[in-house]
Amino acid sequence: MNDSPRYLTYAENLSAQGIYFDPLNFWYISYVIFVYFSQLISDSHWIIILNQYILGYFAMLAIYLGTSRLSKDQMTGFLAGLIFIFFPDNMNWHSYVLTESFYCSILSISFYFLVRVVDERKRWLYVLTGFILLISFFTKPTSPALFIALAFPFVWKWLLHPPYGILKFGSLVIAGVFMLFLANKMISSHRVMLIYENGDIIFAMHEFPTH
């Protein structure tokens, strides 16, 4: 696939020189590390595909267990797991060396641990869930959307309390500006912006001037 070589190259470079900052690929570092450890088992790219399917299996279990716990009904969890399996993109992504497979799986696992945290409120669960969310954050540059989704119910509840309305509104504006700044920083390091600057309708069209 178009993006596969840069993940593989970055993983090879990690092996040669350790972790370093790459303006584009750093926002995918979680997936690159996944590729790196997969390649320690075997040089074949098939091991990455196999590991993605294994992780996808655990993601499906996470959806089933998380939904069962949330709804207090195993049949609902079973149906959620079934929908997860048969949703076309979920299975297709596992067959390619692309971050989408890992991202889909790690988000599903995050969901399970978030449900457990709400249920159990144990310190070790908070730490583990925080670690998994950190992995999720560095899997794709679109990850700030995950944290906005997580923060929304807490912010909404916080805003409903009447005291300090102006202070709360100001804090929300500052947090929103910071999030936009972060997202802009992440996206502007992505070479896809070059395509829009050149007015290309078809991806990488500027590389083929005679077509």
Side-chain angles (χ1 to χ4, degrees), residues 2-194:
N2 192 66
D3 287 337
S4 303
R6 62 188 180 84
Y7 301 132
L8 294 165
T9 302
Y10 198 14
E12 287 171 15
N13 291 342
L14 288 183
S15 169
Q17 61 192 78
I19 291 180
Y20 66 97
F21 180 74
D22 179 314
L24 169 60
N25 292 312
F26 188 78
W27 305 114
Y28 301 87
I29 190 74
S30 295
Y31 180 63
V32 170
I33 291 171
F34 172 81
V35 169
Y36 169 76
F37 279 110
S38 296
Q39 297 275 256
L40 288 180
I41 301 168
S42 169
D43 287 337
S44 170
H45 296 159
W46 284 105
I47 194 68
I48 302 168
I49 303 300
L50 176 63
N51 285 343
Q52 287 179 171
Y53 270 97
I54 292 170
L55 190 64
Y57 170 72
F58 284 110
M60 183 272 296
L61 280 180
I63 290 289
Y64 164 70
L65 293 171
T67 307
S68 296
R69 183 185 283 256
L70 192 63
S71 64
K72 307 290 189 292
D73 179 42
Q74 283 190 322
M75 181 54 68
T76 305
F78 173 76
L79 289 173
L82 209 60
I83 291 167
F84 182 78
I85 291 170
F86 287 103
F87 187 75
D89 287 353
N90 289 348
M91 291 297 103
N92 291 341
W93 288 132
H94 297 325
S95 298
Y96 303 98
V97 181
L98 289 172
T99 192
E100 279 74 13
S101 165
F102 183 82
Y103 191 52
C104 183
S105 295
I106 202 70
L107 283 181
S108 303
I109 293 166
S110 298
F111 163 71
Y112 167 71
F113 280 101
L114 284 165
V115 171
R116 279 199 64 178
V117 159
V118 171
D119 252 9
E120 299 178 30
R121 300 180 185 274
K122 292 178 180 175
R123 188 174 297 176
W124 69 269
L125 264 176
Y126 280 108
V127 173
L128 183 57
T129 304
F131 178 68
I132 292 168
L133 288 173
L134 191 66
I135 293 172
S136 301
F137 185 81
F138 286 101
T139 304
K140 272 180 78 77
T142 52
S143 297
L146 167 66
F147 287 88
I148 292 169
L150 288 174
F152 184 80
F154 299 102
V155 171
W156 184 255
K157 187 177 178 182
W158 181 59
L159 287 173
L160 286 179
H161 289 277
Y164 310 110
I166 295 173
L167 182 64
K168 288 179 177 180
F169 181 75
S171 302
L172 198 62
V173 169
I174 291 168
V177 168
F178 173 75
M179 191 59 72
L180 285 172
F181 174 80
L182 178 63
N184 184 60
K185 197 74 179 168
M186 293 170 81
I187 293 169
S188 63
S189 66
H190 204 294
R191 280 193 291 267
V192 74
M193 298 306 289
L194 178 66

